[in-house]
Amino acid sequence: MANSDTYAGVSSPANGKVFEVETRVKSNTEVNGEYRLLILDAPQRVLDCQPGQFFHLLCPSTLENAPYLRRPMSIYGYYPEKGELHFLYKVTGEGTRALAELLPGDALNVLGPLGKGFSIAKDWRHLLLVARGVGLATLAPLAQEARRRGRKLTAICSARSPEVLMSVDLFRGMGAEVITVTDAEGSSGMENIEAIIQGRIDVGEVDALYTCGSNRMLRLLQKIGAEHGIPGEIALEQQMACGLGMCQCCVRSFRRNDQIVHERVCREGPVFDMQEAMAW
Amino acid sequence: MANSDTYAGVSSPANGKVFEVETRVKSNTEVNGEYRLLILDAPQRVLDCQPGQFFHLLCPSTLENAPYLRRPMSIYGYYPEKGELHFLYKVTGEGTRALAELLPGDALNVLGPLGKGFSIAKDWRHLLLVARGVGLATLAPLAQEARRRGRKLTAICSARSPEVLMSVDLFRGMGAEVITVTDAEGSSGMENIEAIIQGRIDVGEVDALYTCGSNRMLRLLQKIGAEHGIPGEIALEQQMACGLGMCQCCVRSFRRNDQIVHERVCREGPVFDMQEAMAW
Amino acid sequence: MVDLTTRLGAMTLKNPIMPASGTFSEDLAGVIDFNTLGAHVTKTITYEKRGGNPTPRVCEVRGSMLNSIGIPSKGIDHFIQHVIPYYRQYDVPLVVSISAHNADDFARICQAISVPGVDAIEVNISCPNIEDDGKAFAMRPSTTQQVMTRLRGASDLPLWAKLSPNTGETIEVALAAQEAGADALVVSNTLLSMAIDIQSRKPKLGNLMGGLSGPSLKPIALRMAYQCSKAVDIPVIGCGGISTVEDVVEYLIAGASAVQIGTATFINPTAMPNIISGLEDYMIRHGIADLTELIGSVRDDDAADSVVFMETAP
Amino acid sequence: MVDLTTRLGAMTLKNPIMPASGTFSEDLAGVIDFNTLGAHVTKTITYEKRGGNPTPRVCEVRGSMLNSIGIPSKGIDHFIQHVIPYYRQYDVPLVVSISAHNADDFARICQAISVPGVDAIEVNISCPNIEDDGKAFAMRPSTTQQVMTRLRGASDLPLWAKLSPNTGETIEVALAAQEAGADALVVSNTLLSMAIDIQSRKPKLGNLMGGLSGPSLKPIALRMAYQCSKAVDIPVIGCGGISTVEDVVEYLIAGASAVQIGTATFINPTAMPNIISGLEDYMIRHGIADLTELIGSVRDDDAADSVVFMETAP
Ligand SMILES: Cc1cc2nc3c(=O)[nH]c(=O)nc-3n(C[C@H](O)[C@H](O)[C@H](O)COP(=O)(O)OP(=O)(O)OC[C@H]3O[C@@H](n4cnc5c(N)ncnc54)[C@H](O)[C@@H]3O)c2cc1C
Ligand SMILES: Cc1cc2nc3c(=O)[nH]c(=O)nc-3n(C[C@H](O)[C@H](O)[C@H](O)COP(=O)(O)OP(=O)(O)OC[C@H]3O[C@@H](n4cnc5c(N)ncnc54)[C@H](O)[C@@H]3O)c2cc1C
Ligand SMILES: Cc1cc2nc3c(=O)[nH]c(=O)nc-3n(C[C@H](O)[C@H](O)[C@H](O)COP(=O)(O)O)c2cc1C
Ligand SMILES: Cc1cc2nc3c(=O)[nH]c(=O)nc-3n(C[C@H](O)[C@H](O)[C@H](O)COP(=O)(O)O)c2cc1C
Ligand code: FES
Ligand code: FES
């Protein structure tokens, strides 16, 4: 419907401005059996993004799928020089099925960039991230930013089998060191990941931890972070209606100053302090 | 959704059986500014039709149009030899706008043939029909049938201006005599039409009258029919939900044996005795 | 093989799918095989012959429809002479829907229709009760209880009370119906709605307002079916907005023992048999042997009673 | 030039478009120009600080949504210190939505919120009244009248009573609100609904049930707006399922003097300003000079009172 692209005076807490814009699909291809890469031709003004931010996509209505609400998607890549916005998504339900039907040239209305992204403090030289599944999409831009700022980044990529380690090339391409762990090889267990991270810490190569998604990973990294006094951040998900902070549907609980507080994933997040986050 | 094409054991009052079938669009072209001709590739079993019957079309959902109920459409032509079913329609709202977007090769679910068509008694040698606008669609197959049965048919075609007299060729092609009256030439008034018909009656060339649609035409033909004892039939329209006789939404009032009775346009009609029909 | 049978009190249906009153008639017999259905439910009839509402009697709203058909009825004699005998050719229970505008008339038709060939009576108490300022019986527990008690005395056949969504007392009404001896609840009828043609500025229905049915009604009727099945011990028959196998499964999980399909049949006349075979496929695919594994299996254990029985959106 | 202003009792709005409570906040100020709106309506607040309902708090149903946000509130002090001053930068009336679980608390917050910067108070009486077996105030005329009378005594600001569709007594409730001194009616809040995930068999909302909003609600809320505007003399503000200019026009024709837009803003954050300019275009195109030509212009002259005020689908 609406395709005006109004200037967002109240900015998202982290950095930029929010716009509702009509984009064009450049390509929308299968990456492997489960994931798809959507590349949009997007106006410059929405490409001033931060790693960890997301867009709210108005998925099209098709004959079989009629998603009603928008769908939140992490920014997998933003390239102002090419005018491109990338999303990596997994087809799970009505909205993503409708996304999967988009063809080059089709229009897609997006709202963003939204939310608060990852931070990289001045003195964090060595960053370590642990990603699994579609969490790769959320963490990929962090690697890009780390390189831009000249930080060293280690990515532990976890997956079911080696074949689905799709972003390894991407992380490598951005100069990150990549460690893969898979269910198939039996290397993706929490103990093994803990051992890998411990090894890095032992040689003084972890200044900050990043992850997103799973509860088990959150607990593990919270433990490691607490033991060694290493700060960390986690990107969280929650059902969203407005994506802007108005409806309060996307709250999660956080531990802060010995109290439980509720914060909106779309507005105060989706990136939160690792120690404050609560498993769910 | 459903595309089984079940055999209709309880037949429609007039003749055939009712089927829900998936058809393919052969073509869907503008006839002039207002009307479109939809040609479907349809299975033989739905092509055993009678002039005046209709189909109930499950118009597709598109981005802009999401019609919910089916839409009734008179059969404009049925050609078992070519496997074709023709509809002539005017784009008026959501359903017909969605129809207008159909492209060759697209699927269209249709239910029919439905209802009771026109009758041509054995001793009706000269048939006279008066058609205007999309009413041409309903009456055209009658001309075809008249030719098949070797009856003489005169078609008075009324329209706004000569250009929109689209079915003149069709009627002529079926051996009918065509008289055109138009608003632009000032010849479409009721008095003139009455005079034309009166002229025919005077030379003994009207055994039955047929029309559809407008109230004014109904009143005129009722008057003429009553004065001269000429039988007649009219095809009526009404909002329809089921099209099969179940919901009772499509009733109209008729005068019969000094009583007012309600009949379902989809089941007892859409063709009714001209004298029993009531202006609305 | 999976078992599709379902129990509704003393009755056993071969499957849980049946038509909703007013959206089904002999006319459909040509398009689908009536023997496949779990039950046959006829359009509501009244004792006397009556006309219906003015036309237009239906209109479309976004993805759903409104109707104000009313209850045109050829009267009970015609029904007993022509309709009941017609359905005897099928090996499927016949459920007759009845209505009246006061308790006396209701009892009269209830008694008169309790004849061989009729297996259950569905009581459409969503119609206005002219003795109670025009509110429908089903809008208040008191009037529901009164009329159902009268009906209980008038017939030995199973009585299904069909509830209305036009009330803020769903649970009280359900309990009142059970108290008065109803054998099952049908949940629910249509919701009072309106649409206006902005060009002509006329209401789209000849009767000004009418009942909403179809997909838009589903979340509302599903909530009512859930609440009723929590509150009463008699079986609940879900009805409202069902058009897919998944919709049926959702109602069963919510607590319905069977469902009625209405408007979907207008869109696809073959909807009911398609859903029956689709439900069988679904159960095979998910290793569900019989319907009792689904019925009422909603995982709401943590929920407090105050939440289950709330009657307003929080 | 057409005139978009509309009168709501003593207030005049520059146009009839405003947000619905709970679907609007300062966060939207970046995406649209707040000065374009007819009024600003804030999320319902309570006197005390409170949390909301468990997550998930929203889910989707066909073409609409359910929510069970509840009323998380930072309390009145925070609101007076931070929110009211924020809105003073705009030349637009500020309408504050309040709620409470009993009449005393309601009166307390009503009085406390009657401060400079607030132009009207919207009373969300669709929440459960814990003194009346948990039914919402707005479900019964008696409780509506009681609470509105208390509120009338507590503030001189215009009071807008927001009605609930979860009742069979729409008209009685509307009359009771008017009787007790309400200056306008907002019609309506969300309708209690439910959805179940058939895979997990869990309710899709953490709170089991929630309120239906969006297009599915429109025919129901429009019917209520029509009935209320026929029954009362105070202005009616339509609310429910509005997402296009045509929807707005339909509500105006039905009798609403203004409308609120809720869920549509989630789908298109720019919906309100787009609809305002679209309404202007519509009026120009149709030669409508001002809104009074539309408001209440429904052509229902033939309809009997018994039809206008019926409360059940026929
Ligand atoms: C900040 C954020 C970033 C995300 N980034 C990505 C990404 O980069 N790639 C990706 O594949 N997925 C991502 N997700 C998850 C993605 O939003 C869901 O997979 C998607 O909404 C599913 O929609 P659906 O209609 O296909 O599935 P359905 O299951 O049919 O969705 C039903 C409803 O649930 C919501 N929902 C379902 N899963 C989730 C979820 N995990 N989080 C939030 N809401 C959900 C949907 O938005 C929708 O409203 C992200 C979620 C959030 C909150
Ligand atoms: C038996 C019969 C035969 C018909 N034959 C033809 C034909 O050959 N060609 C043609 O162009 N039109 C024909 N019509 C009219 C056609 O059905 C409507 O134009 C069409 O339904 C309009 O749908 P819409 O969504 O485009 O318009 P809208 O006005 O948006 O329709 C809204 C609703 O009103 C109903 N409706 C609108 N106009 C009519 C109408 N005149 N009659 C019945 N329902 C209506 C629609 O079905 C729909 O449910 C026929 C109608 C009937 C009853
Ligand atoms: C056209 C129409 C006529 C109806 N007539 C009746 C009726 O006579 N008696 C009754 O109890 N319900 C009647 N209903 C309501 C349906 O039985 C059913 O309760 C309602 O439509 C909701 O189900 P659905 O969404 O599957 O259609 C009617 C519904 C429609 C659409
Ligand atoms: C997420 C959400 C939160 C809401 N919160 C409130 C609220 O706090 N107070 C209130 O009176 N109504 C609330 N409502 C109801 C809306 O104000 C409105 O009445 C309803 O959504 C119908 O309008 P719509 O269909 O345009 O959304 C809320 C609705 C939604 C969707
Ligand atoms: S999605 Fe609405 S507040 Fe976060
Ligand atoms: S359309 Fe249903 S009876 Fe005619």
Side-chain angles (χ1 to χ4, degrees):
Chain A
M1 242 200 4
N3 57 1
S4 66
D5 44 65
T6 328
Y7 166 76
V10 168
S11 62
S12 170
N15 62 339
K17 335 248 173 270
V18 178
F19 302 89
E20 183 190 337
V21 294
E22 205 76 23
T23 66
R24 292 260 149 220
V25 176
K26 273 192 166 172
S27 67
N28 183 18
T29 49
E30 209 174 281
V31 174
N32 64 33
E34 290 184 280
Y35 300 91
R36 295 181 70 92
L37 174 64
L38 175 65
I39 302 186
L40 301 177
D41 191 346
Q44 287 299 324
R45 62 194 174 289
V46 302
L47 294 173
D48 181 13
C49 309
Q50 277 209 347
Q53 285 191 301
F54 70 99
F55 275 79
H56 216 20
L57 312 187
L58 192 57
C59 306
S61 272
T62 66
L63 261 181
E64 289 83 28
N65 302 298
Y68 177 66
L69 296 170
R70 285 176 181 260
R71 299 292 192 266
M73 280 299 154
S74 293
I75 301 165
Y76 180 54
Y78 53 100
Y79 304 95
E81 60 296 356
K82 295 190 279 182
E84 282 182 3
L85 190 56
H86 294 201
F87 297 98
L88 182 74
Y89 64 99
K90 189 171 166 181
V91 177
T92 51
E94 211 165 4
T96 47
R97 272 200 304 273
L99 273 189
E101 289 189 36
L102 283 172
L103 297 174
D106 285 351
L108 181 69
N109 179 301
V110 307
L111 175 73
L114 294 166
K116 187 178 128 301
F118 293 105
S119 53
I120 305 180
K122 283 226 176 61
D123 55 342
W124 297 350
R125 305 303 313 163
H126 289 98
L127 317 181
L128 184 141
L129 65 81
V130 190
R132 188 178 164 101
V134 96
L136 293 166
T138 312
L139 294 162
L142 182 63
Q144 196 182 14
E145 184 67 14
R147 176 158 76 170
R148 215 181 53 76
R149 301 209 199 167
R151 316 295 169 96
K152 199 164 169 295
L153 184 127
T154 305
I156 302 179
C157 297
S158 167
R160 276 213 296 278
S161 70
E163 299 84 78
V164 293
L165 289 169
M166 62 195 136
S167 292
V168 172
D169 290 348
L170 184 108
F171 280 121
R172 290 232 169 91
M174 288 184 289
E177 179 189 357
V178 179
I179 300 167
T180 64
V181 295
T182 66
D183 304 353
E185 299 167 346
S187 54
S188 61
M190 287 298 129
E191 314 71 36
N192 190 40
I193 293 178
E194 176 164 14
I196 294 171
I197 300 174
Q198 192 61 54
R200 297 287 152 151
I201 293 174
D202 292 347
V203 297
E205 290 201 336
V206 183
D207 296 326
L209 297 162
Y210 301 89
T211 192
C212 63
S214 103
N215 255 324
R216 288 192 312 160
M217 195 70 73
L218 170 61
R219 285 209 198 84
L220 174 65
L221 296 186
Q222 279 181 331
K223 195 189 86 177
I224 297 178
E227 278 172 17
H228 300 276
I230 301 172
E233 293 188 327
I234 182 166
L236 295 173
E237 297 188 358
Q238 182 59 287
Q239 309 269 106
M240 291 186 181
C242 75
L244 285 166
M246 301 186 286
C247 72
Q248 304 194 46
C249 77
C250 64
V251 294
R252 280 199 175 273
S253 303
F254 299 88
R255 216 180 288 103
R256 185 176 301 155
N257 308 328
D258 286 334
Q259 281 197 313
I260 308 263
V261 299
H262 285 127
E263 301 219 301
R264 296 166 297 183
V265 171
C266 74
R267 192 79 183 170
E268 284 83 40
V271 173
F272 292 93
D273 180 272
M274 181 104 66
Q275 295 299 341
E276 291 185 358
M278 292 174 71
W280 54 95
Chain B
M1 251 206 348
N3 58 1
S4 65
D5 44 63
T6 328
Y7 166 77
V10 168
S11 62
S12 163
N15 62 338
K17 336 252 171 262
V18 178
F19 301 89
E20 184 191 337
V21 294
E22 206 75 24
T23 65
R24 291 264 149 216
V25 175
K26 274 192 162 171
S27 67
N28 183 18
T29 48
E30 210 175 278
V31 174
N32 64 33
E34 291 183 279
Y35 300 92
R36 295 182 69 91
L37 175 64
L38 175 65
I39 301 186
L40 300 177
D41 191 345
Q44 287 299 325
R45 60 194 175 289
V46 302
L47 294 174
D48 180 14
C49 309
Q50 277 210 347
Q53 285 190 301
F54 70 100
F55 275 78
H56 216 19
L57 312 187
L58 191 57
C59 307
S61 273
T62 66
L63 262 180
E64 289 84 28
N65 301 297
Y68 178 65
L69 297 169
R70 288 176 179 259
R71 300 293 193 263
M73 280 298 157
S74 293
I75 302 164
Y76 180 53
Y78 52 100
Y79 304 94
E81 58 297 355
K82 295 190 278 181
E84 282 183 4
L85 190 55
H86 293 201
F87 298 98
L88 182 75
Y89 64 100
K90 190 171 167 181
V91 177
T92 49
E94 213 165 3
T96 46
R97 273 200 304 273
L99 273 189
E101 287 188 37
L102 284 172
L103 296 174
D106 285 351
L108 181 68
N109 179 302
V110 307
L111 175 73
L114 295 166
K116 187 177 129 301
F118 292 107
S119 53
I120 305 181
K122 284 226 176 61
D123 55 341
W124 295 351
R125 305 304 314 164
H126 289 97
L127 317 180
L128 185 141
L129 66 83
V130 189
R132 187 177 166 102
V134 96
L136 293 167
T138 311
L139 294 162
L142 183 63
Q144 196 182 13
E145 183 66 15
R147 178 159 75 170
R148 213 182 54 76
R149 301 209 198 169
R151 316 296 169 96
K152 199 163 170 295
L153 183 129
T154 305
I156 302 179
C157 297
S158 167
R160 279 213 296 277
S161 69
E163 300 85 77
V164 292
L165 289 169
M166 61 195 137
S167 292
V168 171
D169 290 347
L170 184 109
F171 281 122
R172 288 230 170 90
M174 289 185 285
E177 179 189 359
V178 179
I179 301 168
T180 63
V181 295
T182 66
D183 304 355
E185 299 167 345
S187 55
S188 61
M190 286 299 130
E191 313 70 37
N192 189 39
I193 293 178
E194 176 164 11
I196 294 171
I197 299 174
Q198 191 61 55
R200 295 289 151 149
I201 292 174
D202 291 346
V203 296
E205 290 199 340
V206 185
D207 295 326
L209 297 163
Y210 301 89
T211 192
C212 63
S214 104
N215 254 323
R216 288 193 312 160
M217 195 69 73
L218 171 60
R219 285 209 199 84
L220 174 64
L221 295 186
Q222 280 182 329
K223 194 189 87 176
I224 297 178
E227 278 173 14
H228 300 276
I230 301 173
E233 292 188 328
I234 182 165
L236 295 173
E237 296 188 358
Q238 183 61 285
Q239 309 270 104
M240 289 186 183
C242 73
L244 284 167
M246 300 186 288
C247 72
Q248 305 194 42
C249 77
C250 64
V251 294
R252 282 199 173 275
S253 303
F254 298 89
R255 215 180 289 104
R256 186 177 299 156
N257 308 329
D258 285 333
Q259 282 196 312
I260 308 263
V261 298
H262 286 127
E263 301 220 303
R264 297 166 297 183
V265 171
C266 74
R267 192 77 184 171
E268 284 83 41
V271 173
F272 292 93
D273 180 274
M274 180 104 67
Q275 295 300 342
E276 291 185 358
M278 292 174 71
W280 53 96
Chain C
M1 263 302 291
V2 297
D3 182 2
L4 285 178
T5 60
T6 193
R7 301 260 336 240
L8 296 176
M11 289 168 83
T12 300
L13 309 186
K14 62 182 142 203
N15 67 61
I17 310 295
M18 66 184 96
S21 176
T23 65
F24 178 75
S25 73
E26 302 90 288
D27 303 283
L28 188 63
V31 191
I32 67 166
D33 178 358
F34 274 21
N35 270 319
T36 58
L37 303 178
H40 296 153
V41 184
T42 53
K43 167 84 182 166
T44 302
I45 54 161
T46 53
Y47 197 95
E48 311 288 356
K49 212 169 148 105
R50 356 175 17 234
N53 287 323
T55 57
R57 290 179 174 183
V58 296
C59 74
E60 199 166 290
V61 291
R62 230 163 303 164
S64 288
M65 67 174 283
L66 309 187
N67 89 80
S68 62
I69 307 287
I71 307 185
S73 170
K74 293 194 176 151
I76 190 165
D77 293 340
H78 176 271
F79 191 84
I80 290 177
Q81 274 162 43
H82 296 99
V83 182
I84 297 175
Y86 172 85
Y87 284 98
R88 298 198 85 157
Q89 67 184 291
Y90 300 108
D91 181 25
V92 173
L94 178 65
V95 183
V96 175
S97 170
I98 59 169
S99 196
H101 283 298
N102 62 59
D104 285 344
D105 285 357
F106 237 133
R108 182 166 61 136
I109 184 170
C110 185
Q111 179 158 21
I113 207 72
S114 299
V115 297
V118 176
D119 297 284
I121 296 173
E122 183 174 291
V123 188
N124 179 358
I125 48 174
S126 307
C127 57
N129 169 10
I130 51 168
E131 284 163 3
D132 191 35
D133 60 32
K135 301 270 177 196
F137 296 97
M139 291 169 71
R140 293 180 182 153
S142 57
T143 46
T144 299
Q145 177 132 19
Q146 280 156 27
V147 72
M148 289 305 296
T149 304
R150 284 295 303 275
L151 296 180
R152 184 68 289 167
S155 178
D156 293 329
L157 287 174
L159 291 180
W160 298 358
K162 183 159 179 187
L163 305 193
S164 165
N166 300 292
T167 179
E169 306 180 283
T170 302
I171 292 145
E172 291 88 338
V173 168
L175 288 168
Q178 167 174 270
E179 186 90 347
D183 297 282
L185 302 178
V186 181
V187 183
S188 77
N189 217 307
T190 57
L191 217 165
L192 190 62
S193 294
M194 186 176 191
I196 299 173
D197 181 301
I198 64 171
Q199 253 66 57
S200 68
R201 302 195 186 176
K202 282 196 199 160
K204 286 194 181 175
L205 295 176
N207 201 47
L208 282 188
M209 299 186 260
L212 176 70
S213 66
S216 294
L217 184 62
K218 204 194 82 181
I220 304 158
L222 182 85
R223 179 263 303 175
M224 292 176 63
Y226 168 76
Q227 292 184 310
C228 289
S229 85
K230 288 279 158 185
V232 301
D233 300 318
I234 53 179
V236 168
I237 299 161
C239 177
I242 298 175
S243 67
T244 66
V245 172
E246 288 73 24
D247 292 336
V248 172
V249 173
E250 197 175 350
Y251 269 97
L252 296 175
I253 292 174
S257 298
V259 297
Q260 297 187 340
I261 292 175
T263 311
T265 297
F266 297 167
I267 313 303
N268 288 103
T270 51
M272 286 186 286
N274 287 346
I275 287 176
I276 292 167
S277 55
L279 179 61
E280 193 168 349
D281 291 349
Y282 180 92
M283 290 170 67
I284 294 171
R285 235 176 22 252
H286 289 81
I288 299 165
D290 66 68
L291 293 181
T292 57
E293 292 180 33
L294 283 172
I295 296 169
S297 64
V298 56
R299 292 174 52 197
D300 59 356
D301 328 309
D302 313 337
D305 268 12
S306 62
V307 174
V308 174
F309 297 136
M310 68 187 175
E311 298 225 24
T312 188
Chain D
M1 265 302 289
V2 297
D3 182 1
L4 284 178
T5 60
T6 192
R7 301 264 331 247
L8 295 176
M11 290 169 81
T12 300
L13 310 186
K14 62 181 141 204
N15 66 61
I17 309 296
M18 67 184 95
S21 176
T23 65
F24 178 75
S25 74
E26 303 88 289
D27 303 283
L28 188 64
V31 191
I32 66 166
D33 178 358
F34 274 21
N35 270 320
T36 58
L37 304 179
H40 296 153
V41 184
T42 54
K43 167 84 183 168
T44 301
I45 54 161
T46 53
Y47 196 94
E48 311 289 356
K49 212 168 147 93
R50 8 181 359 241
N53 288 323
T55 57
R57 290 179 173 183
V58 295
C59 74
E60 198 167 292
V61 291
R62 229 163 303 163
S64 289
M65 67 175 283
L66 309 187
N67 89 80
S68 61
I69 307 287
I71 307 185
S73 171
K74 294 194 176 151
I76 190 165
D77 293 341
H78 176 271
F79 191 84
I80 289 176
Q81 273 161 44
H82 296 100
V83 183
I84 295 175
Y86 172 86
Y87 284 98
R88 297 196 87 154
Q89 67 183 293
Y90 301 108
D91 181 26
V92 173
L94 178 65
V95 183
V96 175
S97 171
I98 59 169
S99 196
H101 283 298
N102 61 60
D104 284 345
D105 286 357
F106 236 133
R108 182 166 62 135
I109 184 168
C110 186
Q111 180 159 22
I113 206 72
S114 298
V115 297
V118 176
D119 297 284
I121 295 173
E122 184 174 289
V123 189
N124 179 358
I125 48 173
S126 306
C127 59
N129 169 10
I130 51 167
E131 284 164 1
D132 190 35
D133 60 32
K135 302 271 177 194
F137 297 98
M139 289 169 73
R140 292 182 183 151
S142 56
T143 46
T144 300
Q145 177 130 19
Q146 279 156 26
V147 72
M148 289 305 297
T149 304
R150 285 293 303 277
L151 297 180
R152 184 68 292 167
S155 177
D156 292 330
L157 285 174
L159 291 179
W160 299 357
K162 183 158 177 188
L163 305 193
S164 164
N166 299 293
T167 179
E169 305 180 283
T170 303
I171 292 145
E172 292 87 339
V173 168
L175 288 168
Q178 167 174 272
E179 187 90 344
D183 296 283
L185 303 177
V186 181
V187 184
S188 76
N189 217 308
T190 56
L191 216 166
L192 189 63
S193 294
M194 185 175 193
I196 299 172
D197 182 301
I198 64 170
Q199 252 67 57
S200 68
R201 302 196 187 175
K202 281 197 200 157
K204 288 193 178 175
L205 295 176
N207 200 46
L208 282 188
M209 300 186 261
L212 175 71
S213 65
S216 294
L217 185 62
K218 205 192 84 181
I220 303 158
L222 182 85
R223 179 263 302 176
M224 292 175 64
Y226 168 77
Q227 292 184 310
C228 290
S229 85
K230 287 279 158 183
V232 300
D233 300 318
I234 53 179
V236 168
I237 298 161
C239 177
I242 297 175
S243 68
T244 66
V245 173
E246 288 73 26
D247 292 337
V248 173
V249 173
E250 196 175 348
Y251 269 96
L252 296 174
I253 292 174
S257 298
V259 297
Q260 296 187 342
I261 292 175
T263 310
T265 296
F266 297 167
I267 312 304
N268 289 102
T270 50
M272 286 186 287
N274 286 346
I275 287 176
I276 293 167
S277 56
L279 180 61
E280 194 168 348
D281 291 348
Y282 180 93
M283 290 169 68
I284 294 171
R285 234 174 26 251
H286 290 81
I288 299 165
D290 67 67
L291 293 181
T292 58
E293 292 179 33
L294 282 172
I295 296 169
S297 64
V298 54
R299 291 174 52 196
D300 59 357
D301 328 307
D302 312 337
D305 268 12
S306 61
V307 174
V308 174
F309 296 137
M310 68 186 172
E311 297 224 27
T312 188

